[in-house]
């Protein structure tokens, strides 16, 4: 059970604080009408950051659902830069540049899970090192894609890690209405692979579980399903009103286990974190996201973007449509 | 019955209809993601679980295929399911149940089983949603025999057509324009209101050219047609209301009368339902045409991200320009 | 654990012998080009008949895949009569008449499983007694429909019995390439429902398991997943050549456990069956299927059948198509 | 390179192409149900597992969504997956992956990832299969931007187009007519043979009327056209070969030349791809038309059971009668 050392724990906490801080700023930007719908990461930081720190960025892929991007700082600044373009609704927001091994947000629940299996399968066929880690929610686990892909991965024994972030809710649907299974991890039984539930509020536990799964995967023993239990501390998205369905007692209880606060306190107690460090990290995080936002806003957008990248080259009808767009762009782009 | 009307948004009209139909018919069961406690992500099902209880309003797991598939079983048991697919784009997850099972249940069993199933789903652009929330897939369903496809364009029709859809012994895909939920308002009869499925609505009379559309595009078409009056162009507007069944008679009549037509759809051009309208006009009233039928469509690319949306979705400028071009042809 | 008594066992064996006998005749009819593609029941008789004899035909539904119909004799002669129409490609082959609680064959693998859940759910809402039993294969268990429906059933606790007939093959795909799970029954874990594997060659075991599941279901305790292990003794269908992929040793081994032979021997040993009984049952079975075949062949078919039963009434385009068909029927129906 | 040809069935041509392409490009991985040991339920993949091994020819579980979905991942890894859906009707189970993911991968990621994926699937009627084995769904896919849809009508094209499909960096749905597997035979070049995707084939020249079709219907159309020669009607036959991209130029040219056209498809009439052809003709060469374009189609009902199949599927009699009717119009 490889545990994160203190140095790593400091980096993990830093990334968690950055994620939390930037999530706050993003929420405000949304409220000001500057960016589109946002799904806050609040409550997931420990699980996401803990998992990612157990990976090797050069060799291991991460396929997020939509709540994780702010927690993927370890994979490089391009992730945030691209995410801000995404939040603006800019087409370049879907293009995280090579060689960053991160895919853009997946809106179609569960749909990335078979991609992860295929990608891991392809890596093995090409004798590449590394694993694929795919994030998905408790809600997404009810999609056929999860099961079909999990079953296929079990048969093929490909190096994939299924990381189910159980935040107790799928929008308004609580987990007991999502499944009657003992746990989301227990669904691994259906695939003949190991399943483990870890406390997602404790990034060390998640780190350990992912490290173990990674060793399993890279040594040819196949996939692992990890369920990281957390609590969604915010709204589902900026379009959601959780007071309609989240019992306030549950939320208060969950807030006591806030992963960022818990680790901050522990690290402070152990002399590994301080208020001034915290302040510094927060300041840099805000500067960083504001920069990324400015850069994104200033990224040019041409009318051609609408037609580009559908096929490698336009069909004759697409050419006609492209000319129409270009010709009437002035008129259209009021 | 009183003849009173209230001004409602399309969303309110839908919500009210679900309330009154569930009251009227105890066999109705509502199922879908977040339709219960949350009242639907747009509040279309607000208040229903409180009124009709957890047995009749059911929050399901996130399993579109199981939603559509269990609706088949509910119908076999003699119940009347109304299933919600949270966004039409996610009907792809249930396609094998919708196209492969629901649409064929009656035919396959020679009416032993009756798929009295309504599938409600919002769709259409203009509100900067994430991927797969805005796609106009109606043409893909129109090529699946056995499904009726109903697309209201007004609050009043939303009530009248949803009432018919729920009561229809055949399966109905009831497609609600996202932009219209709050963006479309109008007077809606307070009492029971039925608009039969399969009858187009001549929203505006006209003599020179007819704009044919459905769902939210009807509103845009109407505005264009009205503005053209000032320029001396008499443009009719035909709201198809349903694309299956298609009101071929109304379509033929108005195209024959005007001799020129423009079809407006939000879906990609290739294989969109506008093509079927043009093919139908070709069949039925080719000789009346004074000009080729014009199409105003989305483009042949996936529904784009927010910043490109306004380029993609047909707007009044494009509709207007298509009408004017059609009028110029001699 | 309710076991079938001797009388019931005799009836079970009779139905098994009938199924086997009629399957042989059907195979020959197909070879003579008289009926369409057939999926033989050979090897499944014990599982199918054992299961069905644990049900109450008045209250309990059976949703077959496509291999079961000849084993559903308990549900009445209408099942065979309709099945013969189906085999001829007659549209009436899809209409098993009310009140027989059996659906026609399901070609789309797994697709009936959510139907079963909805039907059981509807029965509970209507306070009807009874359960729904849905048959599907080891192959079908890999479809998303199985998992989504199983999970939903677990949440709703509806009175449904999932009966997976594991005949070791999905066309040419052996079970170890279908799943890495310990058993198909173990997939129940993912739904939070009980799962049990029984010897499908022993109809008593299947009878017991279904009886237990039925008691569970009718007493509100929810669904059960039963895996009945058998061996597909014939080809996948009349279009298949199993010698390409079935190891002949495996097949010979399986033939030693042929469910019909095994039970016949056991019942003979116990004086509950005889050669003359066997002969009589076989003769009647053949007469019965030949009758059904004749009746089916003589069932009239009108050109209108093509358009009937799509909607409750024709759309205007369908009316036009119907007229076209009727007008040109002579010409078309060479 | 020699110019030798061999007479092959369409099935043999497909099998041979898979062999030679897998030989040429080590990145190719074949996956699907029964494609390995069994060589495919129609033997299209016969001999491949023996030659290329279990790593490159993979029998998957019965999971169409995982087949299509894992193909996305394989492509992301830089491999070139050829996925088989055993019958096109079961692509419904994978629709969210095909339409929602494969078709959008390039666009969504602005070409970070390249979906060089071929999906092969047999379809089409005439061989009395069970349900969902015969359905012609091409129009439903044609309205999904980002998918190329290729439908060979001859053995030689099967080779030439499949070669192009596999090498195409865009996703291609390669649809093989069940009836043509053994029913269509012809000379096929032994060596590498490439037919570019997007170029229609003028199978037969003609001056009076053009019959436009794709896949198996081309064969029927050709026979009808040839028989009409004797009656003094000069009918051209255009094989579209692919419906996306559509060879608008070839279509326009021949329709303009003939002035009359009949479109033949096996799919249900409403929303079938024939409608798009008619809409395209309306756009491009309306003024050349001497008569409305005729459609010969399946009917607006689910694909029927065996005994009704001959009524459903367009045959030479129906095509012929449509051509004659079109010729009569003045
Ligand atoms: C296939 C599909 N169905 C429905 C939706 C609508 N939807 C968006 S998020 C969501 C809930 C997801 O819950 P979960 O997977 O637990 O993730 P969380 O939001 O809790 O992180 C739903 C139903 C979707 N995006 N995709
Ligand atoms: C959704 C779907 N995919 C593929 C097929 C093609 N197919 C028909 S039978 C079969 C194998 C089924 O195996 P299993 O479920 O184990 O049933 P068995 O035939 O062994 O009784 C396949 C792949 C189908 N009918 N439906
Ligand atoms: Mg969740
Ligand atoms: Mg099997």
């Amino acid at each position: 059970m490889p545990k994160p050392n203190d140095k790593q724990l400091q980096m993990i906490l830093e990334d968690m604080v950055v994620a939390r801080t930037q999530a706050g700023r993003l929420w405000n930007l949304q409220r000001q009408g500057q960016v589109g719908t946002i799904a806050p990461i609040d409550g997931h930081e420990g699980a996401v950051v803990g998992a990612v720190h157990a990976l090797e960025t050069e060799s291991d892929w991460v396929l997020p659902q939509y709540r994780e991007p702010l927690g993927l700082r370890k994979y490089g600044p391009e992730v945030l830069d691209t995410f801000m373009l995404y939040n603006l609704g800019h087409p370049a927001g879907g293009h995280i540049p090579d060689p960053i091994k991160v895919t853009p947000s997946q809106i179609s629940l569960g749909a990335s899970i078979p991609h992860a299996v295929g990608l891991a399968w392809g890596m093995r066929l090409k004798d590449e090192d590394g694993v694929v880690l795919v994030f998905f929610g408790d809600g997404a686990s009810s999609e056929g894609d999860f099961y079909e892909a999990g079953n296929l991965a079990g048969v093929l024994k490909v190096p994939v890690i299924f990381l189910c972030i159980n935040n107790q809710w799928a929008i308004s649907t609580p987990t007991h209405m999502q499944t009657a299974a003992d746990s989301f991890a227990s669904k691994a039984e259906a695939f003949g692979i190991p399943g483990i539930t870890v406390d997602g509020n404790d990034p060390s536990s998640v780190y350990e579980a992912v490290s173990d799964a990674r060793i399993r995967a890279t040594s040819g023993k196949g996939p692992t399903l990890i369920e990281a239990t957390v609590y969604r501390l915010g709204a589902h998205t900026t379009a959601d009103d959780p007071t309609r369905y989240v019992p306030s007692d549950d939320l208060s209880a969950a807030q006591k286990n806030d992963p960022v606060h818990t680790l901050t306190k522990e690290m402070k107690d152990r002399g590994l974190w301080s208020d001034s460090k915290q302040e510094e990290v927060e300041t840099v995080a805000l500067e960083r996201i504001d920069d990324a936002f400015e850069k994104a806003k200033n990224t040019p957008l041409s009318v051609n973007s609408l037609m580009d990248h559908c096929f490698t080259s336009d069909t004759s009808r697409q050419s006609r449509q492209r000319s129409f767009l270009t010709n009437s762009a002035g008129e259209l782009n009021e | 019955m009183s003849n009173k009307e209230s001004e409602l948004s399309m969303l309110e009209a839908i919500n009210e209809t679900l309330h009154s139909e569930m009251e009227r018919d105890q066999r109705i069961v509502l199922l879908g993601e977040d339709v219960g406690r949350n009242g639907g992500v747009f509040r279309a099902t607000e208040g229903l679980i409180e009124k009709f209880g957890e047995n009749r309003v059911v929050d399901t797991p996130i399993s579109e295929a199981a939603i559509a598939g269990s609706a088949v079983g509910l119908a076999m048991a003699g119940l009347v399911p109304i299933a919600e697919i949270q966004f039409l784009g996610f009907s792809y997850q249930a396609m094998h149940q919708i196209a492969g099972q629901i649409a064929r249940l009656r035919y396959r069993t020679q009416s032993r089983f009756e798929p009295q199933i309504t599938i409600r789903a919002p769709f259409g652009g203009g509100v900067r949603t994430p991927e797969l929330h805005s796609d106009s897939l109606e043409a893909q369903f129109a090529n699946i025999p056995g499904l009726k496809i109903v697309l209201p364009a007004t609050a009043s029709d939303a009530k009248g057509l949803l009432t018919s859809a729920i009561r229809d012994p055949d399966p109905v895909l009831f497609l609600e324009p996202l932009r219209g939920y709050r963006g479309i308002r109008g007077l809606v009869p307070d009492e029971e209101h039925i608009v039969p499925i399969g009858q187009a609505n001549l929203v505006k009379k006209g003599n020179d050219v007819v704009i044919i559309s459905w769902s939210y595009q009807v509103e845009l078409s109407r505005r264009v047609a009205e503005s053209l009056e000032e320029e001396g162009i008499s443009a009719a507007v035909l709201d198809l209301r349903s694309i299956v069944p298609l009101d071929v008679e109304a379509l033929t009549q108005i195209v024959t009368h005007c001799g020129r037509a423009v079809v407006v759809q939000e879906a990609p051009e290739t294989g969109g339902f506008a093509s079927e309208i043009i093919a139908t006009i070709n069949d039925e009233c080719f000789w009346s045409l004074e000009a080729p039928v014009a199409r105003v469509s989305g483009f042949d690319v996936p529904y784009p991200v927010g910043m490109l949306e306004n380029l993609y979705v047909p707007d009044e400028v494009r509709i207007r320009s298509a009408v004017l071009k059609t009028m110029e042809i001699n």
Side-chain angles (χ1 to χ4, degrees), chain A, chain B:
Chain A
M1 297 283 268
K3 280 177 182 301
N5 60 31
D6 288 348
K7 181 100 201 27
Q8 285 173 309
L9 263 182
Q10 280 174 320
M11 287 162 61
I12 287 174
L13 179 55
E14 180 169 334
D15 281 3
M16 287 170 64
V17 171
V18 169
R20 174 69 57 94
T21 309
Q22 293 179 340
R25 174 61 50 103
L26 208 48
W27 182 271
N28 291 337
L29 285 172
Q30 195 283 332
R31 285 299 185 240
Q32 294 159 23
Q34 304 252 29
V35 298
T37 307
I38 299 294
I41 193 174
D42 303 62
H44 291 225
E45 296 91 342
V48 176
V49 176
V52 166
H53 275 261
L55 299 179
E56 300 290 340
T57 54
E58 299 79 38
S59 62
D60 299 344
W61 278 93
V62 173
L63 278 51
Q65 190 157 294
Y66 42 70
R67 212 177 283 286
E68 294 81 14
L70 290 182
L72 307 182
R73 186 165 172 252
K74 193 188 177 205
Y75 270 79
E78 296 86 347
V79 177
L80 179 63
D81 288 337
T82 317
F83 188 52
M84 290 312 288
L85 285 158
Y86 176 84
N87 290 327
L88 281 176
H90 192 292
H95 186 117
I96 299 173
D98 208 21
I100 310 292
K101 290 193 151 62
V102 175
T103 54
S105 293
Q106 176 59 263
I107 292 302
S108 188
L109 293 169
S112 287
I113 309 178
H115 305 175
V117 173
L119 178 52
W121 178 10
M123 285 161 67
R124 193 186 54 195
L125 287 175
K126 294 176 77 181
D127 254 327
E128 289 178 8
D129 291 334
V131 303
V132 180
L133 182 144
V134 57
F135 283 106
F136 57 98
D138 45 291
S141 81
S142 294
E143 292 286 353
D145 272 354
F146 163 61
Y147 296 104
E148 289 196 10
N151 186 61
L152 177 64
V155 172
L156 298 175
K157 280 196 182 313
V158 294
V160 67
I161 302 171
F162 300 113
L163 183 36
C164 176
I165 302 221
N166 170 7
N167 65 359
Q168 316 304 328
W169 295 97
I171 309 185
S172 70
T173 308
T175 48
H176 73 270
M177 294 172 72
Q178 196 64 248
T179 190
D182 288 342
S183 67
F184 290 93
S186 72
K187 291 177 188 271
E189 195 80 22
F191 315 145
I193 67 173
I196 172 176
T197 302
V198 296
D199 177 2
N201 286 327
D202 175 17
S204 297
S205 304
V206 181
Y207 179 97
E208 286 175 46
V210 173
S211 299
D212 287 347
R214 195 179 181 284
I215 291 168
R216 253 186 72 80
T218 52
S219 58
K221 296 205 185 103
T224 303
L225 170 61
I226 300 170
E227 170 188 7
T229 54
V230 301
Y231 202 94
R232 197 189 73 203
L233 295 176
H236 170 66
T237 65
T238 41
D240 176 48
D241 173 9
T243 62
R244 293 175 70 95
Y245 56 83
V246 173
S248 57
D249 286 357
D250 290 13
L251 184 61
S252 336
Q255 278 160 341
K256 300 213 176 81
N257 296 319
D258 181 319
V260 180
H261 298 170
T262 308
L263 186 59
T264 306
K265 183 169 180 313
E266 183 195 313
M267 295 288 275
K268 274 193 195 162
D269 289 351
R270 295 179 53 211
L272 296 166
W273 196 257
S274 65
D275 284 342
S276 62
K277 175 74 183 171
Q278 174 92 16
E279 210 169 297
E280 181 201 317
V281 168
E282 285 178 359
T283 309
V284 175
L286 290 175
E287 281 170 19
R288 178 72 187 87
I289 191 171
D290 289 343
D291 267 10
F293 179 58
E294 283 308 311
K295 217 161 57 175
K297 274 205 301 190
N298 294 318
T299 302
L301 179 69
S302 95
V303 170
N304 277 309
S305 300
L306 184 68
M307 302 302 300
D308 290 345
H309 301 290
C310 178
F311 289 128
T312 36
S313 60
D314 284 357
T315 64
S316 65
R317 182 158 291 174
Q318 287 173 324
S319 303
R320 169 174 41 74
Q321 293 173 348
R322 191 187 283 272
S323 316
F324 171 83
L325 273 167
T326 335
N327 294 338
S328 47
E331 193 183 359
L332 293 170
N333 233 348
E334 328 91 85
Chain B
M1 238 196 262
S2 89
N3 283 327
K4 276 183 49 185
E5 296 182 319
S6 307
E7 195 186 284
L8 299 180
S9 69
M10 191 183 269
L11 190 65
E12 288 162 340
I14 289 166
N15 182 254
E16 192 192 283
T17 309
L18 293 172
H19 273 276
S20 54
E21 285 302 296
M22 287 192 74
E23 188 109 52
R24 187 190 56 82
D25 187 346
Q26 303 300 311
R27 298 172 308 161
I28 295 175
V29 178
L30 210 108
L31 67 159
E33 297 160 9
D34 306 294
V35 297
R37 195 69 59 224
N38 198 32
V41 291
F42 295 100
R43 311 287 172 254
T45 55
E46 172 126 24
L48 293 166
I49 197 169
E50 289 79 2
K51 181 136 50 148
F52 302 105
E54 293 189 350
N55 274 337
R56 294 186 61 200
V57 182
V58 183
D59 280 320
T60 64
I62 316 299
S63 309
E64 288 79 11
I67 291 170
S70 62
V72 171
L74 287 165
M76 285 166 63
L79 295 172
V80 176
I82 305 179
E84 177 176 308
I85 299 291
Q86 203 166 75
F87 293 93
L88 183 62
F90 305 127
S91 64
Y92 280 142
Q93 266 81 352
M95 207 51 142
H96 55 292
Q97 286 293 340
I98 298 174
Q101 302 294 320
I102 293 179
R104 296 168 202 233
L105 184 65
R106 179 187 298 284
Y107 193 72
R108 165 186 299 145
T109 69
Q110 302 279 294
S111 298
R112 163 83 194 264
F113 300 112
E114 303 233 309
Q116 184 165 354
I117 298 170
T118 305
I119 300 179
R120 296 179 39 249
F123 82 114
V127 292
R128 291 187 155 235
T129 58
E131 269 191 310
L132 286 156
H133 285 57
S134 298
D135 300 57
S136 294
L137 311 179
E138 69 273 19
Q140 296 167 42
F141 288 100
N143 189 233
I144 299 166
L147 284 183
K148 293 183 177 170
I149 304 164
V150 175
L151 313 97
T154 68
S156 170
D157 275 4
K159 178 167 184 175
L161 289 167
L162 182 55
T163 304
S164 296
I166 294 169
R167 299 183 188 183
D168 196 311
D170 295 317
V172 179
L173 199 58
F174 191 81
L175 304 184
E176 305 165 3
L178 266 179
R179 251 195 301 181
Y181 268 159
R182 295 190 173 82
I184 291 177
R185 304 185 62 82
L187 289 176
V188 179
D190 291 346
E191 299 292 326
E192 177 176 86
H193 173 52
I194 295 174
V195 175
I197 293 173
Q199 298 186 2
N201 181 20
L202 190 62
V203 173
K204 180 180 171 304
K205 291 191 183 165
N207 304 313
D208 301 334
V209 57
V210 55
I211 313 178
I212 299 155
S213 61
W214 53 94
S215 193
Y216 192 82
Q217 302 299 320
V218 172
E219 174 58 19
L220 300 180
S221 304
R222 198 188 47 73
R223 286 189 221 152
V224 169
E226 265 158 24
S227 80
L228 287 170
E229 286 291 334
E230 295 154 30
E231 296 163 48
I233 294 176
S234 168
V237 175
L238 186 72
D239 172 5
L240 293 180
R241 278 180 171 156
S242 63
I243 57 171
V244 179
L246 178 63
D247 189 344
V248 177
E249 201 182 315
L251 176 67
T252 308
Q253 217 160 52
I254 187 71
V255 174
T256 308
H257 177 74
C258 295
R260 291 169 200 261
V262 174
V263 192
V264 184
Q265 69 183 2
E266 198 173 299
E269 181 175 2
T270 295
F273 200 77
S275 314
E276 181 57 49
I277 301 299
I278 296 175
T280 304
I281 292 173
N282 163 87
D283 287 351
E284 305 285 339
C285 40
F286 177 80
W287 300 107
S288 318
L289 288 179
E290 295 160 30
V293 182
R295 269 193 276 189
V296 180
S297 290
F299 298 90
D300 283 354
V301 295
Y303 194 93
V305 291
M307 287 178 83
L308 295 168
E309 197 173 47
N310 289 343
L311 284 176
Y312 184 89
V313 176
D315 57 10
E316 290 175 54
V317 178
R318 273 169 65 196
I319 298 171
R320 191 185 165 76
S321 124
V323 174
L324 292 175
K325 250 191 224 141
T326 299
M327 288 308 300
E328 276 162 23
I329 296 170
N330 270 312

